[in-house]
Structure formats: structure tokens, C-alpha cells
Amino acid sequence: MALLPKRHIHQDVMQITNNLIKNGGFECGLAPWVAGDVTNTRHYVRGPGDASPNAFEFNQVGPVDPASNMNPAFLTQDFTATAGTTYRLSFRTYFDKCTPSEGFIGVRLNQGSGTTVDACDFGGSAGSFKSNSITFTPTTNAVNVRFEFLTSEPDAVFKLDNIAFVPI
């Protein structure tokens, strides 16, 4: 039997008791997340994940449609939080490579801007999961988190895993 390579294991979001995100480790498939593809993109829930067998995976499977910059592929979830409370959105990202045209994952909270993450943000060390987080204080109890996938590479692969939204 072949041994699997060791990898650094991060806390599985299933163990975070105050996480408002449902299924942030994708162990129960996609729901309640909603994913949207555009021309020549596909999404999957499959492994390997970060701290668990599965992750959300975005693939650009053909030529990039120029319209996807205005209407990108996405992953989104709505949930309820407490207005006026500050939260930390944490998530792990994976990019298959770091090139100038690889692209990025955009993060939006309640339709506003949040942050962007690309493989080159980590010194060009693509090919492994990296930690990301931002803070957010909602002004209403309704919260929407949306990840957008933008690339110019016809064979790009991005992954998301261990997504959590917890009060700080």
C-alpha cells in the first residue's frame, strides 16, 4: 500500500461551533451553497480538500469568454448574523499555478467589495491551500457571502475549503 504525502491539517470547519456558514467544508455536497458557471467553466465538489476529503473546485475548461469579467462564475450562500457585530470570514484557497494571467478569487460580502486573492499573493507558492481572512460588520441581519472566479487561463483550477464566518 502506498503512503499518502503528509500535508498540514487545519481545523475542520465542522468543529467550529459558532460558524454561521453551513457546509463550509463541502462534506455534504454543495447545498446550501449555490454555484453559477459561465461559458467554459465547471464546478465540482471533490477531493482532495484541505482538512477533509472534499473542497469546492472551479475549473476553466476552455477559452475564456470576455464577458465573464463582468459576470463571473461564482459560489454564494445567504445566512443570518447579528447586525452591528464584527465577524471574521476565513477560508482556504488553492490555485494550481501562479502566472500573470491565472486570475483571482474575488470575495464580496452583502454585494459590497471584500477582497481578492490570487496564487501570487503567497510568493508564487501555488499548488497548496493557503489561509485567508477578512473582517466584516453587517448593518443588517441578512448576510450574503459570494466568491467570484476570474481568470485568463483556459485550464485554471481554483479550490475553496474550510469557509467560516464567526464573531470576533
Side-chain angles (χ1 to χ4, degrees):
M1 171 166 39
L3 293 175
L4 295 175
K6 287 184 179 180
R7 58 188 174 122
H8 188 69
I9 302 297
H10 295 269
Q11 182 178 14
D12 188 336
V13 293
M14 303 268 298
Q15 299 171 3
I16 301 173
T17 57
N18 56 352
N19 185 7
L20 299 182
I21 295 283
K22 303 293 185 233
N23 194 26
F26 302 97
E27 297 319 302
C28 299
L30 186 61
W33 292 96
V34 175
D37 289 312
V38 296
T39 303
N40 293 327
T41 68
R42 302 288 180 271
H43 70 270
Y44 308 94
V45 172
R46 63 182 177 189
D50 179 37
S52 57
N54 291 324
F56 178 84
E57 182 176 312
F58 161 84
N59 290 324
Q60 183 71 42
V61 295
V64 177
D65 182 350
S68 66
N69 285 334
M70 296 301 294
N71 232 350
F74 65 87
L75 176 70
T76 188
Q77 186 177 129
D78 295 315
F79 53 93
T80 302
T82 303
T85 299
T86 301
Y87 294 85
R88 180 174 313 284
L89 172 67
S90 60
F91 55 98
R92 303 272 292 163
T93 53
Y94 169 98
F95 296 87
D96 63 328
K97 59 186 165 282
C98 170
T99 65
S101 58
E102 179 68 1
F104 60 89
I105 298 173
V107 183
R108 299 180 64 169
L109 292 157
N110 283 1
Q111 291 77 47
S113 62
T115 190
T116 59
V117 179
D118 69 49
C120 299
D121 286 345
F122 301 101
S125 61
S128 63
F129 280 93
K130 304 292 189 229
S131 294
N132 307 271
S133 69
I134 58 173
T135 58
F136 179 68
T137 304
T139 57
T140 68
N141 291 342
V143 176
N144 171 268
V145 61
R146 179 181 174 102
F147 296 94
E148 298 179 335
F149 306 94
L150 292 101
T151 184
S152 298
E153 290 281 325
D155 61 347
V157 176
F158 304 165
K159 291 184 180 186
L160 283 169
D161 203 2
N162 284 338
I163 305 168
F165 192 83
V166 297
I168 54 174

